[in-house]
Amino acid sequence: MTHRAQQALRSPRPTEGQLAARDILWFQATYNLAAAYIQCDLEREERGELASELPSATLWARLLVRDLEQALKFIDSKTGSLDPQDEARRAELTAVEGPALVLLAGLHSRRLDGRGVTLDDPVPPLDRDGVIAAAEAEAEAEAEKYLPQDLVQGFLLNDPARVSYRARFNLACYYSALAAMSQVEVDPDRLLRQALLELRYAVETGDLVDLAIADLALQELREKKAPEFWATLGRERPAQLAGVLGRVRCIGPSFAGRLAREGISTPSELAERAGNEQDARVLADAVGARSELVKRWGQLAWMMTHLESVGIDGVNLLDEARVDSVKALSRFNPLALTRLIAGINEAFSIVGSPPQYAEVARWIRQAKTHT
């Protein structure tokens, strides 16, 4: 596999336009391949084996980041406003881009053993050409071209659109792994606090909790901050309080339990109690969530209550596609949205079978009648 990745990095590349049109499954599969090599490497390290999968993981991650950046650069270079198909394509690529950038930063920090990492100094925003050049460089030269925080602080965090829940989860893994490295120049306890902060954001939806329990990259956090780690995952909650709202990914069982204690257990009750900004702020204080998140819950609950056949699976798909209000839904092209949620479902396995064009078009028609 390493040889194949080396060939792919050095062979004549597709044009930016060809990369922008490439099936999203290629990007998702390449990300999963690099992530699998990392987990394999961590497992071998835990067993005390000398063989390393780090070179394979790094090569595939570098290839992925380069191709993503070239594809996105092509889409952003189009003159005028993007059409709905381009917007949908950009959203698909960005959903993979954030986690991929953190993946590459984590691999780079493992090669450097944590050296040169800081949480204090702001990093100037990087342009795409600079990141592409760095990703193409040979491993020996990469340390001279950029540091891990260049990708994390100077690129990822300069664009909120890149910082998805999965990207936040990867950031938690990144900081946790850094805290265990021997040459790290930042206080390990501070890195673990940062990891907890990122993890708290990442598990708001609830669907990454099981992954957090098993991921070896979070082992330092699980061991050194055990009470805070388990409290962040909400494992102390009574399971029976989760109810139907616990199946909504951006609510999750933990927050569903807190909502139940406030007398909210159905979408209609949530829509009524978080129907405007003032109500959302009051409810946010009661359940210990951000008001922006609670407002989002209310909008999704409203769609479940008023749009026929959307249901929990539908709002989970729409929310992951950043279509989190009836107004946003009403503006979408049916074909573009059908393709977008199909790609997202392929990446995150939200439902067994994503909705087809006719059903998505019906959602949009209904949304238009409410705006």
Side-chain angles (χ1 to χ4, degrees):
M1 285 294 187
T2 302
H3 178 65
R4 284 181 55 199
Q6 288 173 333
Q7 284 185 318
L9 277 167
R10 293 169 179 168
S11 63
R13 304 297 301 136
T15 65
E16 290 177 350
Q18 290 170 331
L19 289 169
R22 176 181 275 171
D23 195 315
I24 192 65
L25 290 177
W26 184 93
F27 296 101
Q28 292 159 353
T30 304
Y31 173 84
N32 290 336
L33 183 60
Y37 273 123
I38 293 172
Q39 286 301 307
C40 183
D41 191 67
L42 290 170
E43 289 171 5
R44 286 184 168 183
E45 188 177 273
E46 194 174 37
R47 293 193 298 266
E49 297 178 10
L50 295 178
S52 175
E53 299 291 353
L54 196 60
S56 295
T58 302
L59 285 168
W60 284 114
R62 286 165 55 203
L63 176 64
L64 174 63
V65 167
R66 186 180 70 175
D67 285 0
L68 278 167
E69 297 309 322
Q70 288 179 335
L72 285 163
K73 182 182 176 184
F74 175 81
I75 293 173
D76 289 345
S77 70
K78 292 189 174 183
T79 56
S81 59
L82 298 180
D83 60 32
Q85 187 171 348
D86 284 332
E87 289 282 8
R89 182 60 173 166
R90 194 184 196 288
E92 284 182 330
L93 295 170
T94 302
V96 184
E97 180 196 27
L101 285 165
V102 187
L103 199 70
L104 184 59
L107 287 162
H108 192 33
S109 67
R110 282 174 66 80
R111 284 206 315 279
L112 297 177
D113 196 25
R115 288 170 292 174
V117 174
T118 176
L119 296 179
D120 295 317
D121 300 330
V123 178
L126 302 180
D127 60 29
R128 285 206 167 95
D129 287 333
V131 173
I132 292 166
E136 286 179 331
E138 292 299 321
E140 294 80 8
E142 284 187 4
E144 300 174 7
K145 289 182 173 288
Y146 71 100
L147 291 170
Q149 73 266 19
D150 294 332
L151 288 177
V152 172
Q153 294 171 253
F155 202 81
L156 175 69
L157 299 181
N158 272 290
D159 182 356
R162 296 186 179 104
V163 192
S164 63
Y165 284 111
R166 184 53 197 249
R168 290 284 188 180
F169 181 88
N170 284 9
L171 281 170
C173 294
Y174 168 72
Y175 290 121
S176 175
L178 278 176
M181 293 180 186
S182 60
Q183 300 295 324
V184 67
E185 297 172 9
V186 182
D187 177 14
D189 189 68
R190 187 176 175 203
L191 289 168
L192 291 176
R193 291 198 302 271
Q194 186 68 31
L196 273 173
L197 181 67
E198 301 296 348
L199 185 63
R200 187 172 297 117
Y201 187 107
V203 299
E204 280 184 343
T205 63
D207 60 300
L208 293 173
V209 169
D210 289 339
L211 185 60
I213 294 171
D215 200 305
L216 288 172
L218 289 173
Q219 185 168 330
E220 189 76 1
L221 183 61
R222 281 194 298 268
E223 293 180 355
K224 299 292 176 62
K225 297 283 184 182
E228 297 94 330
F229 175 82
W230 293 107
T232 297
L233 299 190
R235 282 307 192 190
E236 79 288 354
R237 70 188 184 282
Q240 65 271 22
L241 288 180
V244 64
L245 293 176
R247 293 172 52 208
V248 179
R249 285 161 61 93
C250 70
I251 298 176
S254 181
F255 276 123
R258 299 181 197 181
L259 289 170
R261 287 189 282 271
E262 296 298 318
I264 300 171
S265 58
T266 67
S268 59
E269 290 169 345
L270 180 56
E272 183 178 350
R273 293 279 298 275
N276 57 56
E277 288 196 20
Q278 182 176 350
D279 288 343
R281 283 196 297 270
V282 172
L283 183 56
D285 289 340
V287 299
R290 293 177 297 113
S291 60
E292 294 84 358
L293 178 62
V294 174
K295 182 181 177 183
R296 190 163 126 221
W297 295 349
Q299 291 171 332
L300 294 175
W302 193 96
M303 288 197 286
M304 280 193 287
T305 305
H306 291 82
L307 302 184
E308 182 186 353
S309 80
V310 171
I312 291 173
D313 288 343
V315 296
N316 281 336
L317 288 166
L318 291 171
D319 186 50
E320 195 67 47
R322 301 178 187 274
V323 186
D324 56 5
S325 71
V326 68
K327 185 175 182 180
L329 178 59
S330 70
R331 293 175 174 173
F332 249 95
N333 171 275
L335 181 59
L337 184 56
T338 302
R339 289 174 174 171
L340 173 58
I341 61 181
I344 286 172
N345 191 61
E346 185 68 34
F348 301 108
S349 301
I350 297 170
V351 298
S353 178
Q356 300 302 303
Y357 174 86
E359 187 173 5
V360 174
R362 184 164 64 251
W363 294 352
I364 294 173
R365 285 197 301 272
Q366 293 178 66
K368 290 180 185 294
T369 67
H370 291 286
T371 55

